[in-house]
Amino acid sequence: MNLAVITKLVPDTEARLSLAGDKVDLSDVEMVINPFDEYGLEEALKIKDADESVKVYALMVGPESARKQVVNCLALGADEAIVVDDEAIDGANPLAVAEVLAAELKKLDPVLVFAGKQGVDYDWGLTAVAVAQKLNWPHVGVVKQFTPDFAAKTFTAVTESDEGDLAFSGSLPAVITAEKGLNTPRYASLKGIMKAKKKPFAVHKLADAGVGAAAVGADRAKVEEVQATHPPAREPGRIIQGEEIADRVCELVRVLREEAKVL
Amino acid sequence: MAKVLVYLEAKGDELKKISREMMTVARMLGDSVSGVISTASDVALSSAGKLGLEKLTNLAPEEGKFYASEAFAAELAKLVEAEAPAYVIFGQTNLGRDLAARLAATTGVGYISDVTATEEGETPTFVKPLYAGKIIGKFRFKAGPPHILTIRPNIFSPAEAEGAEVSAEIVQPDYSSARAVLTSIAEKAAGTIDLREATIVISGGRGLGEAANFQMLFDFAEKTGAAVGASRAVVDEGWIEHAHQVGQTGKTVNPTLYIACGISGAIQHLAGMQTSKCIVAINTNESAPIFKVADYGIVGDCKEVVPLLLEEILKSRG
Ligand SMILES: Cc1cc2nc3c(=O)[nH]c(=O)nc-3n(C[C@H](O)[C@H](O)[C@H](O)COP(=O)(O)OP(=O)(O)OC[C@H]3O[C@@H](n4cnc5c(N)ncnc54)[C@H](O)[C@@H]3O)c2cc1C
């Protein structure tokens, strides 16, 4: 039985981002595996923990330089990694990326595909759902609890919403996108790190994926980014002074009512 | 001007606030607005019918079956085909974003998520925070129509009802085509205010000292009509559920008033609350980074300040 985890490279959440003209300049930014994808990977690894014959693939459309980060997925327990790096792919277009991922996934024949609920860069939340659509599979998004039944080829999944918890039932194969809280990702062990060096790591071109350049090129994009700017800085605030805590609180409530008018 | 289709949401008998916010955006972008909703409540349906819609379609749930992305996206795709709207608007809620994405994938049309502003022009541009709000991105549709948008809750002002009430056309979604179906909703206790829709959010961090002290914030919330948020540190400690986490890997909130209690102000936390109208920070450490984004700060122990603050606010409200 095969499982696949799709991942994306994003800037470290600590990173400060600078601009080069109208665009974000990521040239000097530390890149990491999208944090939400880590919950997806952990969910696959939990299934593998229970059944050693399960094979977990880590799949990414991204630069070959992502090797360092993707090897960490192997160190954590994934069996094989595939990075599709081809400049013909419009990496900014989730539908183009999904096209490539879906083509690779067809060859891997997984029963489940895990992903993060969204990339913490552009927050499109579209790629994994589009993969499901292209594979003609169901999906459940933003999952915080997942229980597969491989014998029955079914699953249940819980997502959180403003109405309350939502429980889904579905059939496998399926795409599941992970919310934080789905699990607690493990750390790589020393043994895992040593083993990772010997695990298969493939770097593919579009041709290996079996996708034509015309299907995933920049001219297919339906949306264009016109401009990126920094948000306006907040006006400096002030520390409320006062002898006793009670005086400060009193003054705070006064300014919230009279100056800020928010009470 | 153009036709717009909005995917309205209800919670029990009540139309969600985001539904009225979508109407505001829809009226900015078009002059004829049709609505789609999926509800078993006649009350909610009637409220939706009063929004000033040209037409309203109810994707009527079956017994024990609610949302199903495949079936709903298929119905919406049919409506889009038949009515050729310029825009299809959803809320950036768990189900709204899910359906918007599935529809975008099904139809292959352009999709811009989590929009916080629109700028009119020959081709309108849509503003969307990127990298957890560190960057503001402006986007345009290159192809289409139709164009799919989700809008961030609590940003656009909610539209008032207008015009005559329209009655809903019932459509039975084809649940048999759906291989993942929402089968039960564990409804939250009445009176709990959604973090993303709250006017006041009071959040606690490690500075609260221990899990039990969150009770102070829940008291505050209950008596003032606020919602309770939290930093990731205390969620990971197990002091409070993830549903309350504010930040890059939690929720994004835009209340009128955000009160950070014992929260240092890590960049990932700021990501989720820095667009709040007014930020108050309570922290013992006067050089805590949270004070850099706060409009007002109190240097002090939040365990002492919060009960006093509650008392003072209640007094001022009379
Ligand atoms: C990938 C990633 C994603 C993340 N996502 C999020 C996210 O979504 N949301 C989030 O919040 N964090 C997130 N974090 C974590 C973030 O980096 C911080 O670790 C976290 O926000 C710190 O929480 P805190 O402010 O409660 O704790 P601390 O940083 O420990 O701060 C506690 C604060 O309380 C103050 N204090 C202590 N005692 C008192 C007292 N008695 N009264 C008043 N103040 C007191 C201290 O001065 C200090 O400023 C993320 C991190 C990573 C790596």
Side-chain angles (χ1 to χ4, degrees), chain A residues 88-91 93 95-100 206 211-220:
Chain A
I89 304 171
D90 176 16
N93 179 359
L95 295 180
V97 172
E99 186 77 34
V100 179
L206 268 182
V211 178
V216 295
D219 56 338
R220 296 292 293 264

Side-chain angles (χ1 to χ4, degrees), chain B residues 20 23 27 31 33 45-55 159-167:
Chain B
R20 299 184 191 283
M23 286 303 295
R27 286 182 192 150
D31 51 10
V33 186
L45 207 53
S46 155
S47 312
K50 289 183 191 122
L51 285 173
L53 298 167
E54 209 65 37
K55 188 180 154 202
E160 291 303 324
E162 65 176 47
E165 178 173 348
V166 295
S167 52

Side-chain angles (χ1 to χ4, degrees), chain A residues 40-208:
Chain A
L41 174 61
E42 177 61 30
E43 206 58 19
L45 296 178
K46 271 167 54 188
I47 295 168
K48 186 179 165 73
D49 288 344
D51 177 356
E52 255 186 68
S53 70
V54 167
K55 220 168 159 189
V56 176
Y57 291 89
L59 177 60
M60 176 189 279
V61 169
E64 194 184 345
S65 62
R67 181 180 289 269
K68 182 179 84 190
Q69 291 87 340
V70 177
V71 161
N72 193 49
C73 299
L74 298 175
L76 290 166
D79 298 284
E80 283 193 31
I82 301 165
V83 171
V84 188
D85 179 6
D86 197 314
E87 57 189 23
I89 304 171
D90 176 16
N93 179 359
L95 295 180
V97 172
E99 186 77 34
V100 179
L101 291 172
E104 290 285 0
L105 287 165
K106 277 184 192 148
K107 292 187 280 175
L108 301 177
D109 191 28
V111 63
L112 268 167
V113 173
F114 292 102
K117 70 165 181 176
Q118 64 200 45
V120 300
D121 49 4
Y122 278 60
D123 300 327
W124 291 123
L126 176 55
T127 311
V129 177
V131 165
Q133 178 68 26
K134 286 179 196 294
L135 293 172
N136 189 20
W137 288 8
H139 81 272
V140 181
V142 200
V143 169
K144 68 168 189 178
Q145 222 174 299
F146 180 67
T147 317
D149 180 339
F150 294 109
K153 286 196 162 296
T154 60
F155 67 86
T156 59
V158 179
T159 78
E160 185 256 320
S161 84
D162 48 359
E163 276 136 277
D165 283 354
L166 310 178
F168 287 80
S169 315
S171 63
L172 299 175
V175 173
I176 298 296
T177 81
E179 168 69 307
K180 175 179 179 284
L182 175 60
N183 50 46
T184 308
R186 64 196 68 191
Y187 291 97
S189 66
L190 198 57
K191 203 169 123 213
I193 293 167
M194 297 309 293
K195 269 182 156 169
K197 294 179 184 154
K198 299 198 193 77
K199 288 181 176 172
F201 194 118
V203 178
H204 284 179
K205 289 283 172 198
L206 268 182
D208 303 306

Side-chain angles (χ1 to χ4, degrees), chain A residues 229-252:
Chain A
T229 53
H230 283 294
R234 287 189 79 98
E235 297 278 313
R238 85 177 131 97
I239 301 284
I240 306 283
Q241 306 295 335
E243 192 70 22
E244 301 289 330
I245 290 275
D247 302 331
R248 293 176 219 161
V249 172
C250 203
E251 172 64 5
L252 173 65

